Amino acid sequence: MSLVQLHKLNHGFGERTLLKDASFSLAAGDRVALVGPNGSGKTTLMRLIAGHIEPDSGQVVAARALRVAYLPQTGVAHAGRTLYQEADSAFAEGHALANTHAEVTARLEQLSPDNNRELQTELARLHDVQEQIESSGFYDREERIHRVLRGLGFTENQFHSDCATFSGGKQMRIALAGILLREPDVLLLDEPTNYLDIETRDWLLEYLLSYRGGVLLVSHDRFFLDAWATEVVELFAAGLKRYKGNYTRYEERRAEDLQQLTAEYERQQDQISKLESFITRFRYNASKAKLVQSRIKELERITPIELPEGFRPIKLRLPAPPRSGNPVVELSSISRSYPGENGAELQVLADLNLEFERGEKVALVGPNGAGKSTLMRILAQRDQGFSGSLTWGKDVQIGFFSEDLLEELQPEATVLSIIEQAAPTAVQPAVRDLLGAFLFKGDDILKPFRVLSGGERTRLAMLRMLLRPINLLVLDEPTNHLDLVSKDVLLQALRDYSGTVVFVSHDRHFLESLAGRVVALEPRPHHAAEVKNYPGPYSYYQRRREAELSAPAATSPASGTPSRATASTKANAGAASPDLGMAAGEYHRHKAQKADLRKLERTAETTLSELDRLESEREKLELQLSQPEVYTNGEAVKDIRSAMQRNEEQQNQLTEQWEHAEHAATRLRTELGL
């Protein structure tokens, strides 16, 4: 049963149409990812469903007493209460019921035993209130508050801190906590992963996988969408189109649709070209006047096919950076501390030794507060308050990206002028093509910097940096605020980049696709973070970390690489294994898991194909039902509706089968580090 339905919604701003005859429904248990190019209207759609704005026309039909919660991208601030008090305010309804319970109890104590009628009325009311309190989860709120706040990265030491003391990112986490604790029927989450690190994203993923209500979510985290979504709704050209499956499945289907759309577009362009050529050729030929008018009317009747900019393949070629010496930089005995509470020193880095080779792509990972940003600023020569030494290779030129540095750009400078000033002379002729590759199209290049969105600012700053003669890129969370298409553009540019990249990101797909080595900063109680080196991609780091946590004595305490004895043992035990360092038993277990994964993926693929067939069959049945010769024939209508009912039952059964296979496959992928 649908919790909320949109029926032929139309909405726009000025001359711009965001929604045109858009229809959509969300039921309990639906896990729907909302996707579309930046500016297509995803946030507007969510605000319409939440009831924050009214559509120009059409209907938003909600179930009776429906509880809807909406988390915006930004702009949420809390103050005047502690973190715990703010979380507890999610149970306002429960507190009101508890007050009513106390009032009824007090009234009962005052009633005379002889007043049987009123006594029975108040007892019935007390019973009703008690049931409401128990069903609301009010009595379990303390445990739930602790679970949600800890899951979103807050420590118990912060529970009694005033909300006003938290950063903008933590403010959004507080808002998310409040929404999750309220457990509404419908969750509308607009980029909830933006301010979350990997650990808290994983926690949110698990939480939402078991959520019983309907969830509509916008996220630019491909891993998250693949692991969570069972359906994708695309908002494009003011219309909504629904795809079964996760984000990868949507991309596959979208590519097929785009291929077909491109063919239709090319046929239409050929038709338009021929009509225009005929009109131009015979416009002033009196004997052809009727034919010309006929062609003009035919041209006017054509509805132009629009190709989606965000889904076209983008080819990007950047100037090669100058060659640097090797190693690029060596860090020796680096220590850094900051003033802590009560005058004590807070040690962030201690006796750190590290080396970066030319051409490496290195990811720095670790929980918030472990020292990643501090290390990045030291590498970028933005922090001089450390002890120890940095030895630089010959001709090393550094480029540093951090959100803090975006404010250095002139607010009134246009996108085009910023890139023209940064581009070398040899690149000047290709400036507009490069801007197009970074998704600045048409009049976008004339926008002043001050009006750009967070994602646009990040893209502009990255392009500006990549155009300079830099051979060491130090990137602190470059994927923040970027949509999926922008991330793919940046990822392609960085993979093709021949210089050295040291970066921090909370996007698992980006980490796995770019990093060839992982340096982990692991916090220790009352000490600076321990630094470990993992010479492999992010999935290798994950496997090694899991092995270390399950058998901590098997590795050297100072490094992610095995001690000599352990390495020798594993080399012999794992001789038959293609994965270096993996014991034979572990290898065979992984091999069996991979076989299971392939079976689950085949099951999911087969099920989705059958769902596609049933969906096509349903569309044909709906078309038949709309024919006059059918809908006036009662027996025919009955037969078609019976067929539609069977179709729906089959779809529900197959969807449940697909979800089971996909959920099991997702867990196996996580275990295998894929």
Side-chain angles (χ1 to χ4, degrees):
M1 177 183 171
S2 294
L3 297 172
V4 62
Q5 286 184 308
L6 313 184
H7 182 65
K8 293 191 174 181
L9 283 194
N10 291 281
H11 195 76
F13 297 102
E15 296 181 357
R16 188 178 175 207
T17 300
L18 293 176
L19 295 168
K20 183 177 181 181
D21 291 332
S23 296
F24 168 73
S25 64
L26 189 70
D30 281 355
R31 303 202 299 267
V32 182
L34 178 62
V35 303
N38 277 352
S40 59
K42 298 187 294 294
T43 295
T44 299
L45 180 64
M46 285 193 162
R47 295 185 69 208
L48 284 164
I49 297 172
H52 291 191
I53 55 176
E54 293 293 326
D56 295 338
S57 65
Q59 287 182 303
V60 179
V61 182
R64 187 178 178 185
L66 186 74
R67 296 175 303 132
V68 179
Y70 167 56
L71 180 76
Q73 292 181 30
T74 56
V76 178
H78 306 84
R81 287 194 281 212
T82 66
L83 173 61
Y84 189 91
Q85 288 170 340
E86 187 65 42
D88 190 49
S89 70
F91 298 91
E93 185 179 338
H95 281 291
L97 288 168
N99 290 337
T100 301
H101 188 280
E103 291 169 6
V104 175
T105 302
R107 192 174 298 116
L108 279 167
E109 290 173 353
Q110 294 171 0
L111 285 174
S112 167
D114 298 332
N115 194 346
N116 189 57
R117 185 173 181 178
E118 192 171 351
L119 195 64
Q120 291 302 319
T121 300
E122 291 300 324
L123 281 171
R125 189 181 175 201
L126 184 68
H127 177 74
D128 183 51
V129 170
Q130 180 67 32
E131 283 193 336
Q132 289 183 61
I133 292 174
E134 289 177 359
S135 65
S136 72
F138 181 71
Y139 293 134
D140 300 326
R141 70 188 186 284
E142 186 173 342
E143 185 274 330
R144 287 174 58 197
I145 288 171
H146 279 72
R147 180 165 63 93
V148 170
L149 289 180
R150 287 199 302 265
L152 289 174
F154 294 102
T155 64
E156 296 207 14
N157 292 335
Q158 296 174 312
F159 282 13
H160 300 292
S161 299
D162 192 302
C163 288
T165 63
F166 291 101
S167 66
K170 289 289 179 71
Q171 292 281 355
M172 296 307 299
R173 293 193 191 193
I174 295 170
L176 178 57
I179 285 174
L180 297 180
L181 288 167
R182 285 199 290 277
E183 291 192 337
D185 304 305
V186 171
L187 272 176
L188 305 171
L189 304 177
D190 199 352
E191 300 188 26
T193 56
N194 261 5
Y195 300 97
L196 304 181
D197 56 22
I198 288 176
E199 291 76 17
T200 49
R201 288 186 191 201
D202 287 347
W203 179 88
L204 180 62
L205 172 62
E206 287 299 319
Y207 190 97
L208 293 180
L209 280 171
S210 60
Y211 199 78
R212 290 174 296 180
V215 185
L216 181 66
L217 177 145
V218 175
S219 175
H220 300 318
D221 186 324
R222 186 186 300 266
F223 177 87
F224 192 99
L225 293 180
D226 270 344
W228 174 80
T230 57
E231 291 181 88
V232 174
V233 169
E234 180 192 84
L235 175 54
F236 172 71
L240 295 172
K241 185 168 183 180
R242 202 158 189 159
Y243 294 83
K244 295 282 187 182
N246 60 14
Y247 186 80
T248 296
R249 174 63 177 169
Y250 152 74
E251 279 194 313
E252 292 167 356
R253 290 284 306 280
R254 194 66 181 82
E256 294 168 7
D257 289 351
L258 185 58
Q259 187 175 10
Q260 182 180 347
L261 186 66
T262 302
E264 291 173 4
Y265 172 81
E266 289 172 353
R267 282 195 294 271
Q268 188 184 77
Q269 290 300 305
D270 184 56
Q271 180 189 5
I272 291 171
S273 177
K274 288 176 180 176
L275 288 171
E276 289 177 339
S277 177
F278 185 92
I279 292 165
T280 302
R281 184 177 179 185
F282 298 109
R283 182 181 294 274
Y284 303 108
N285 188 327
S287 65
K288 304 282 189 184
K290 285 187 178 180
L291 288 173
V292 168
Q293 286 302 312
S294 173
R295 298 298 193 279
I296 290 173
K297 287 179 181 179
E298 187 178 347
L299 189 61
E300 289 172 348
R301 284 195 298 269
I302 293 175
T303 302
I305 294 172
E306 184 179 355
L307 285 180
E309 292 284 351
F311 298 96
R312 291 176 177 173
I314 298 169
K315 299 295 182 185
L316 180 65
R317 288 187 177 85
L318 292 167
R323 186 178 176 85
S324 71
N326 196 36
V328 174
V329 60
E330 293 180 80
L331 293 80
S332 302
S333 302
I334 298 294
S335 297
R336 181 66 166 103
S337 59
Y338 297 94
E341 295 180 1
N342 302 320
E345 287 285 299
L346 178 63
Q347 191 84 23
V348 179
L349 302 174
D351 294 324
L352 182 148
N353 297 291
L354 207 55
E355 184 176 286
F356 295 100
E357 300 287 333
R358 183 177 60 232
E360 276 194 306
K361 310 291 194 298
V362 183
L364 298 184
V365 303
N368 287 346
K372 301 187 298 295
S373 291
T374 298
L375 179 55
M376 299 286 274
R377 293 184 68 82
I378 290 172
L379 275 174
Q381 300 183 328
R382 297 273 175 160
D383 185 339
Q384 301 295 330
F386 62 91
S387 61
S389 63
L390 274 70
T391 305
W392 296 97
K394 185 181 179 184
D395 298 328
V396 172
Q397 300 292 323
I398 305 167
F400 178 47
F401 173 83
S402 170
E403 282 190 20
D404 298 340
L405 302 180
L406 293 177
E407 302 307 320
E408 294 182 2
L409 294 172
Q410 293 298 317
E412 298 305 322
T414 65
V415 169
L416 180 61
S417 65
I418 288 170
I419 297 304
E420 283 180 335
Q421 289 174 15
T425 304
V427 180
Q428 287 291 339
V431 159
R432 288 174 183 263
D433 291 337
L434 290 168
L435 282 167
F438 267 66
L439 308 180
F440 290 102
K441 306 282 188 180
D443 292 341
D444 287 346
I445 67 174
L446 302 178
K447 287 182 180 177
F449 180 77
R450 62 180 169 76
V451 305
L452 299 182
S453 66
E456 288 172 328
R457 291 184 176 201
T458 298
R459 278 189 270 123
L460 184 65
M462 290 301 306
L463 176 58
R464 178 172 174 262
M465 182 187 299
L466 290 167
L467 288 174
R468 292 175 172 175
I470 290 166
N471 44 36
L472 171 60
L473 290 175
V474 181
L475 310 176
D476 194 359
E477 300 191 26
T479 54
N480 272 7
H481 307 294
L482 292 184
D483 62 20
L484 287 156
V485 176
S486 301
K487 283 182 185 180
D488 287 345
V489 171
L490 177 60
L491 180 60
Q492 177 204 331
L494 294 179
R495 290 179 73 174
D496 293 342
Y497 176 73
S498 60
T500 306
V501 182
V502 182
F503 71 101
V504 171
S505 175
H506 296 314
D507 187 295
R508 199 181 296 243
H509 174 77
F510 194 88
L511 284 164
E512 179 61 28
S513 301
L514 183 60
R517 174 160 71 107
V518 175
V519 172
L521 278 70
E522 299 175 4
R524 298 175 295 175
H526 313 298
H527 292 85
E530 181 181 5
V531 179
K532 292 186 177 182
N533 185 56
Y534 296 84
Y538 186 75
S539 55
Y540 171 78
Y541 155 74
Q542 286 183 298
R543 290 199 302 273
R544 292 294 305 277
R545 281 293 292 140
E546 288 171 6
E548 287 168 13
L549 291 171
S550 60
T555 58
S556 167
S559 168
T561 54
S563 61
R564 290 183 182 179
T566 306
S568 174
T569 303
K570 286 193 174 182
N572 294 329
S577 168
D579 189 352
L580 183 64
M582 186 184 291
E586 181 72 2
Y587 167 65
H588 290 303
R589 186 175 72 84
H590 275 239
K591 187 176 179 181
Q593 285 180 318
K594 287 178 179 177
D596 290 342
L597 178 60
R598 286 193 294 272
K599 288 179 185 176
L600 288 166
E601 287 175 338
R602 283 196 297 271
T603 299
E605 185 67 27
T606 303
T607 306
L608 282 173
S609 297
E610 182 62 13
L611 278 168
D612 290 342
R613 186 191 67 77
L614 287 169
E615 189 64 32
S616 298
E617 181 185 285
R618 181 178 178 82
E619 288 173 2
K620 289 176 183 176
L621 289 169
E622 288 176 345
L623 184 62
Q624 287 178 33
L625 200 58
S626 67
Q627 302 300 318
E629 63 271 20
V630 174
Y631 66 68
T632 55
N633 184 332
E635 196 61 35
V637 168
K638 185 178 178 181
D639 290 343
I640 291 174
R641 283 184 173 163
S642 296
M644 290 175 71
Q645 178 67 28
R646 289 193 298 273
N647 182 287
E648 185 177 356
E649 289 170 359
Q650 287 179 283
Q651 286 208 41
N652 290 338
Q653 185 180 353
L654 285 171
T655 299
E656 187 176 337
Q657 183 179 328
W658 177 83
E659 286 180 0
H660 176 76
E662 188 62 27
H663 190 60
T666 297
R667 291 194 178 280
L668 272 179
R669 289 188 197 102
T670 302
E671 287 180 29
L672 292 166
L674 299 176

